[in-house]
Amino acid sequence: MKISIVVPVYNAEEYLEVCFRSIIKQTFFNWELLVVNDGSTDSSCEICEYFSNKDKRIKIIQSNNQGPGIARNIGMSYATGDYLMFMDSDDYLEHNSLELLEKIASNTEAEIIFYPNYTDKMEDEKYKVVKDNHLKDMEFLSNSDFVNSYRLLYEHGYLHPVWNKLYKLSFIHLCNAIFPSGINVSEDYIFNIQLYKHLQKGVVLSVPLYHYVSRNSGSITSSFNNERFNSSKKVYLYSKKFFEDWNEAELIHVNNEFITNINVCINNLFNDDCKLSRREKFAVIQKIINDKFVKDCSYSSNLKGLRNRLTAFLVRNKQKLILMGIGKLTRSIGKLSK
């Protein structure tokens, strides 16, 4: 069995060595690493070439800067393995991750293997594990089995990312699953739900195999993106229709995530890199609360958490100034806590 690993890279010179060495040092050897250099302007390309020259299993694919989703699509198109996994360029694997995954895949022929992760933070120039999210071992032998466990997996963070799964490549092709273009949030989520509707054989592992490294700098919540609301709405509409057709009980999560994303859109107006004037920020909030789908979602009866319920109430009552004030306060508190 061969495992393909796809890693999109964009200006990741600080992190690539740890990521690549965690793959090279694996106890399982039959892998290929497909590195998609997504238009990096730092020394990432040179680092990728250095490792590629050292290990012929590492292949570099050049791409214009199109975002991680499109970069992953490009990487997938080059994959020759029986199974496929995705990694982010600043994360790393346990040394025996591929060996354990290969054994499970060979024994079960699962279409997707879900595995938990450690969350790391950098302290004193060293990675420190701050939490893990493991569940007990599980196996799904039908789509209804998977549906019955969906909420538990959702609540433990197994479902949205692509970096905590091993996918059967033929299953991805059978489902025609790709990462969406024109969406810069939740690309992983859209890719995964294209597969979930068809999943008949899956495995959940209890052993964390992946280290997700949490970083504040440059994250999607700490940098301003003028298109975030439009992308969030596209994700909401896509996922809403999907769950109405497949698993209507989970629409509760779709509505809550949309309101949460609206909070993030408003908060981001007060990031340091947002150059909009007060009048322009006010216009953005006006656009959000006047949007039909935002208004409809604000009337959902299953919103969870004080922040989401408060946001929905303020949207319904068109309280633009209060929404602006909360967004500004939230960002100020976030800066003080760093």
Side-chain angles (χ1 to χ4, degrees), residues 103-125:
K103 286 180 181 178
I104 298 295
S106 295
N107 290 335
T108 65
E109 296 187 356
E111 294 159 334
I112 302 178
I113 299 173
F114 302 78
Y115 45 90
N117 64 278
Y118 296 109
T119 297
D120 289 23
K121 284 194 174 182
M122 183 69 80
E123 293 185 5
D124 299 324
E125 298 184 355

Side-chain angles (χ1 to χ4, degrees), residues 116-331:
N117 64 278
Y118 296 109
T119 297
D120 289 23
K121 284 194 174 182
M122 183 69 80
E123 293 185 5
D124 299 324
E125 298 184 355
K126 293 182 180 180
Y127 292 104
K128 180 181 179 181
V129 174
V130 292
K131 67 177 180 179
D132 70 72
N133 63 331
H134 69 277
L135 289 169
K136 65 179 182 180
D137 291 330
M138 288 187 279
E139 187 172 5
F140 312 121
L141 299 177
S142 68
N143 195 254
S144 60
D145 280 351
F146 177 59
V147 169
N148 289 338
S149 297
Y150 189 93
R151 187 162 297 184
L152 178 66
L153 293 170
Y154 175 88
E155 290 170 350
H156 282 78
Y158 276 68
L159 294 176
H160 279 29
V162 291
W163 39 254
N164 63 352
K165 299 171 183 66
L166 184 72
Y167 302 88
K168 197 171 193 177
L169 189 57
S170 60
F171 178 59
I172 293 176
H173 294 327
L174 180 67
C175 299
N176 295 313
I178 60 171
F179 291 84
S181 60
I183 294 178
N184 54 30
V185 296
S186 301
E187 308 100 315
D188 294 21
Y189 175 50
I190 296 298
F191 175 80
N192 281 324
I193 62 177
Q194 294 171 68
L195 301 171
Y196 292 161
K197 184 177 182 179
H198 305 285
L199 180 61
Q200 298 294 334
K201 187 177 291 188
V203 173
V204 175
L205 302 183
S206 60
V207 181
L209 303 179
Y210 188 94
H211 288 259
Y212 170 77
V213 182
S214 177
R215 305 180 193 278
N216 292 323
S217 177
S219 74
I220 197 165
T221 55
S222 65
S223 57
F224 175 69
N225 186 331
N226 198 38
E227 285 298 309
R228 183 178 175 94
F229 173 67
N230 291 332
S231 288
S232 297
K233 187 166 76 168
K234 288 177 183 177
V235 170
Y236 171 68
L237 295 176
Y238 184 98
S239 54
K240 183 173 183 288
K241 183 179 186 308
F242 175 83
F243 283 101
E244 284 174 345
D245 294 339
W246 175 61
N247 187 5
E248 195 169 7
E250 300 309 320
L251 280 171
I252 179 175
H253 303 310
V254 175
N255 293 331
N256 274 282
E257 286 177 4
F258 188 39
I259 297 295
T260 297
N261 273 326
I262 289 166
N263 284 328
V264 175
C265 291
I266 294 172
N267 293 350
N268 283 1
L269 293 171
F270 302 95
N271 290 338
D272 292 337
D273 62 344
C274 179
K275 305 306 180 185
L276 298 181
S277 66
R278 178 180 171 83
R279 183 187 295 272
E280 289 169 328
K281 292 175 182 178
F282 196 80
V284 170
I285 296 175
Q286 181 79 51
K287 174 187 173 182
I288 290 173
I289 67 175
N290 285 342
D291 185 90
K292 175 186 183 303
F293 299 105
V294 174
K295 288 191 286 188
D296 289 348
C297 190
S298 73
Y299 283 95
S300 301
S301 60
N302 52 16
L303 296 177
K304 293 184 177 295
L306 177 61
R307 182 69 190 273
N308 275 3
R309 292 197 296 270
L310 176 60
T311 298
F313 173 81
L314 295 173
V315 166
R316 290 195 301 270
N317 291 278
K318 299 185 177 181
Q319 296 295 319
K320 299 180 286 293
L321 286 173
I322 298 177
L323 284 166
M324 179 178 277
I326 291 174
K328 186 175 183 179
L329 179 63
T330 300
R331 271 296 169 262

Side-chain angles (χ1 to χ4, degrees), residues 25-28 93-101 208-209:
K25 293 180 178 179
Q26 288 295 304
T27 54
F28 175 78
L93 297 173
E94 287 285 285
H95 74 284
N96 61 343
S97 295
L98 297 186
E99 180 182 358
L100 292 174
L101 289 169
L209 303 179

